[in-house]
């Protein structure tokens, strides 16, 4: 079991391993998000992780980050025995919203900012009123950072878990604009969920009893949808390692090329991609 740190600490549990670094530093560690990025489009991975080209911050990303800050304040308060009432949560949300604007300015449409800020508030209020927020068990960890070496990978596996519940259950919060197909979303986030389980089991030496995806749906009347999953099986873990090794092999051997698809319609690097004719730009 993950042992809660001193509740007055920064809320992170960290297991650090010595990094193995590729020549460009892109594999100092390996995360599920990086694996998914590379597998989705290896050239986009090259632009983001190696060239480190900047992307404009979307309003949806801005809102998601701020809502997560509100959720973190709520569960940290529960963990530490400190304030976690609606006022405290909304204050943390608003502070994060403004800080995000200062660090990554957003180009709002007229009136969009106020509507966005209000939407985040109503979504958080819906969560605070949900059965999930009223859980009896105290968190084992909030915003848990785990980094572990595994024989299957050349660099440490890294993950940040939004919430770890009793039974070592990793819980990941997702904000979305429409009611999700939870089975499809579970498949889309497979790498992340399996990685969290591997990291928790390696850090604690104990099994994970389940996994959770919690969707905060930003509809006119916000909805909270909890999708509970069983632990990853040995077959699931073998699939994770096979996928991860394929991605890492491509990164180490610098296989970066366009992978046209639906994601191109909202990709920030279309102009750079259009100039690709082979090799590195």
């Amino acid at each position: 079991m993950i042992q809660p740190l001193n509740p007055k600490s920064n809320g992170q549990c960290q297991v650090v391993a010595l990094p193995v670094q590729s020549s460009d530093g892109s594999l100092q560690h390996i995360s599920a998000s990086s694996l998914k990025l590379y597998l989705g489009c290896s050239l986009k991975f090259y632009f983001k992780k190696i060239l480190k080209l900047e992307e404009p911050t979307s309003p949806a990303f801005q809102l998601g980050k701020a809502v997560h800050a509100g959720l973190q304040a709520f569960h940290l308060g529960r963990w530490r025995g400190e304030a976690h009432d609606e006022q405290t949560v909304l204050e943390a949300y608003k502070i994060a919203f403004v800080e995000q604007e200062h660090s990554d300015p957003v180009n709002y449409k007229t009136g969009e900012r106020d509507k966005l800020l209000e939407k985040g508030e109503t979504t958080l209020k819906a969560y605070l009123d949900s059965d999930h927020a009223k859980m009896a068990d105290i968190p084992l960890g909030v915003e848990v950072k785990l980094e572990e070496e595994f024989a299957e990978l050349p660099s440490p596996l890294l993950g940040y878990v939004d919430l770890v519940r009793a039974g070592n259950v990793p819980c990941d919060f997702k904000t979305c604009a429409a009611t999700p197909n939870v089975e499809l979303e579970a498949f889309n986030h497979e790498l992340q969920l399996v990685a969290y389980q591997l990291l928790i089991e390696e850090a604690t030496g104990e099994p994970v009893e389940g996994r959770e995806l919690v969707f905060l749906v930003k509809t006119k009347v916000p909805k909270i949808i909890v999708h509970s999953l069983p632990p990853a099986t040995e077959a699931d873990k073998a699939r994770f390692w096979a996928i991860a090794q394929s991605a890492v092999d491509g990164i180490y051997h610098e296989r970066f090329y366009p992978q046209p698809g639906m994601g191109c319609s909202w990709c920030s690097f279309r102009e750079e991609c259009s100039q690709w004719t082979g090799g590195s730009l």
Side-chain angles (χ1 to χ4, degrees), residues 147-168:
E147 189 170 357
E148 287 280 359
E149 283 190 337
F150 292 91
E152 292 84 354
L153 294 175
S155 306
L157 182 64
L158 173 68
Y160 290 85
V161 189
D162 290 341
L163 175 69
V164 181
R165 298 187 59 184
N168 289 333

Side-chain angles (χ1 to χ4, degrees), residues 174-197:
K174 304 292 184 187
T175 55
C176 50
T179 302
N181 178 328
V182 293
E183 296 295 339
L184 178 59
E185 289 300 315
F187 182 80
N188 288 340
H189 298 293
E190 172 194 14
L191 288 176
Q192 185 180 33
L193 293 173
V194 176
Y196 288 167
Q197 179 170 335

Side-chain angles (χ1 to χ4, degrees), residues 48-90:
K48 284 179 64 78
K49 298 297 184 179
I50 296 176
L51 295 187
K52 301 187 183 301
L53 301 183
E54 292 186 1
E55 286 185 282
T57 300
S58 69
F61 181 81
Q62 151 85 344
L63 182 62
K65 292 278 286 185
V67 167
H68 269 72
L71 294 170
Q72 180 181 356
F74 174 72
H75 288 293
L76 276 176
R78 292 182 61 242
W79 182 27
R80 295 172 173 172
E82 297 176 349
H84 53 280
D85 57 281
E86 181 180 295
Q87 181 180 347
T88 299
V89 171
L90 293 183

Side-chain angles (χ1 to χ4, degrees), residues 7 16 38 47 56 109 123 130 134 141-142 146 157 163 209 221 233 236 256 258:
V16 181
Y38 178 83
F47 291 145
K109 298 176 183 177
T123 301
S130 70
K134 296 172 184 176
V142 180
L146 294 171
L157 182 64
L163 175 69
E209 296 180 7
V221 178
T233 65
D236 294 331
F256 305 119

Side-chain angles (χ1 to χ4, degrees), residues 36-138:
K36 189 174 181 180
L37 175 62
Y38 178 83
L39 294 166
C41 181
S42 58
L43 191 58
K44 186 174 183 179
F45 178 94
Y46 176 74
F47 291 145
K48 284 179 64 78
K49 298 297 184 179
I50 296 176
L51 295 187
K52 301 187 183 301
L53 301 183
E54 292 186 1
E55 286 185 282
T57 300
S58 69
F61 181 81
Q62 151 85 344
L63 182 62
K65 292 278 286 185
V67 167
H68 269 72
L71 294 170
Q72 180 181 356
F74 174 72
H75 288 293
L76 276 176
R78 292 182 61 242
W79 182 27
R80 295 172 173 172
E82 297 176 349
H84 53 280
D85 57 281
E86 181 180 295
Q87 181 180 347
T88 299
V89 171
L90 293 183
E91 182 179 355
Y93 160 72
K94 292 175 183 177
I95 290 173
F97 192 98
V98 172
E99 289 179 347
Q100 179 73 18
E101 285 180 317
H102 289 162
S103 60
D104 295 297
V106 178
N107 293 322
Y108 298 114
K109 298 176 183 177
T110 303
E112 184 178 21
R113 182 186 184 278
D114 290 342
K115 291 180 180 178
L116 199 69
L117 190 60
E118 182 181 0
K119 178 60 67 178
E121 289 186 20
T122 58
T123 301
L124 280 169
K125 288 178 181 179
Y127 176 77
L128 294 176
D129 195 43
S130 70
D131 290 339
H132 194 267
K134 296 172 184 176
M135 66 182 77
D137 54 291
I138 299 300

